[in-house]
Amino acid sequence: MLGLLVGSVADMLTSASAEARNTKALRAKMTEVDEWLIRRHLPSRTRRQIHMYYTDEWTPGKENPLESQILHDLPLALRTQTVVHMTQHSLTALPLVSGLVWAYTPWMADKAKELVLTALAAHMEPLQIASGHVLCRDGDLLEGMWVLTDGQLAAV
């Protein structure tokens, strides 16, 4: 009984100390970010957006915080295969993609779908965006397109 109690207390302290370390790391990172923001004399709106980004990025328990890094580290062929799997439902719902697929004769549609998705996925880069971040404004010239796979997006 005593051994079980000591083990439970040790587990509790280990968990609490890990959470404390994460909180301390978040505070240290936010202090660095805040000091940098002050030195750069950035507009208050930009400072708030950067602050929200880092708060969101460093929040303990955030789901898949390393997804971008993991995908970036993979070899191109494996990254492409992974991105095709992750985005195929979103991509095939786009009229542009379905139009490219059906431009082939019907008996080639499955192969065309694979080719189109693979070609797109090879050029995609994962992007995690903090709440409140502005992707673009009306009238901006764009250099690409975004495919939302998780979360919500608002046009304002």
Side-chain angles (χ1 to χ4, degrees):
M1 182 70 153
L2 180 60
L4 179 62
L5 178 63
V6 170
S8 296
V9 170
D11 288 344
M12 183 179 71
L13 290 175
T14 301
S15 175
S17 64
E19 188 174 319
R21 280 193 305 274
N22 289 341
T23 301
K24 183 179 178 181
L26 172 61
R27 283 189 189 136
K29 183 65 174 179
M30 291 312 298
T31 299
E32 289 176 13
V33 169
D34 288 338
E35 289 171 357
W36 180 80
L37 292 171
I38 291 168
R39 280 194 315 269
R40 290 292 170 192
H41 305 288
L42 295 171
S44 62
R45 181 175 184 203
T46 304
R47 287 195 313 261
R48 279 193 310 274
Q49 287 176 325
I50 292 171
H51 199 274
M52 284 180 2
Y53 168 79
Y54 276 103
T55 300
D56 187 51
E57 190 67 27
W58 282 74
T59 300
K62 182 180 173 192
E63 200 171 318
N64 298 325
L66 300 176
E67 185 171 286
S68 295
Q69 187 61 47
I70 291 169
L71 288 170
H72 177 74
D73 291 344
L74 293 175
L76 179 60
L78 188 54
R79 181 175 64 238
T80 300
Q81 177 184 346
T82 304
V83 172
V84 165
H85 175 77
M86 292 170 57
T87 61
Q88 64 185 339
H89 297 295
S90 299
L91 289 176
T92 53
L94 296 172
L96 170 70
V97 173
S98 60
L100 286 171
V101 169
W102 286 107
Y104 290 88
T105 57
W107 56 272
M108 290 182 61
D110 287 339
K111 185 64 175 173
K113 177 180 171 183
E114 179 184 336
L115 291 171
V116 169
L117 292 178
T118 301
L120 288 172
H123 297 285
M124 293 177 82
E125 295 180 22
L127 183 63
Q128 292 179 330
I129 305 209
S131 176
H133 180 78
V134 176
L135 285 173
C136 66
R137 299 190 190 287
D138 188 24
D140 286 353
L141 294 176
L142 304 179
E143 296 178 5
M145 75 176 192
W146 298 280
V147 178
L148 181 67
T149 59
D150 187 31
Q152 296 179 344
L153 184 66
V156 292

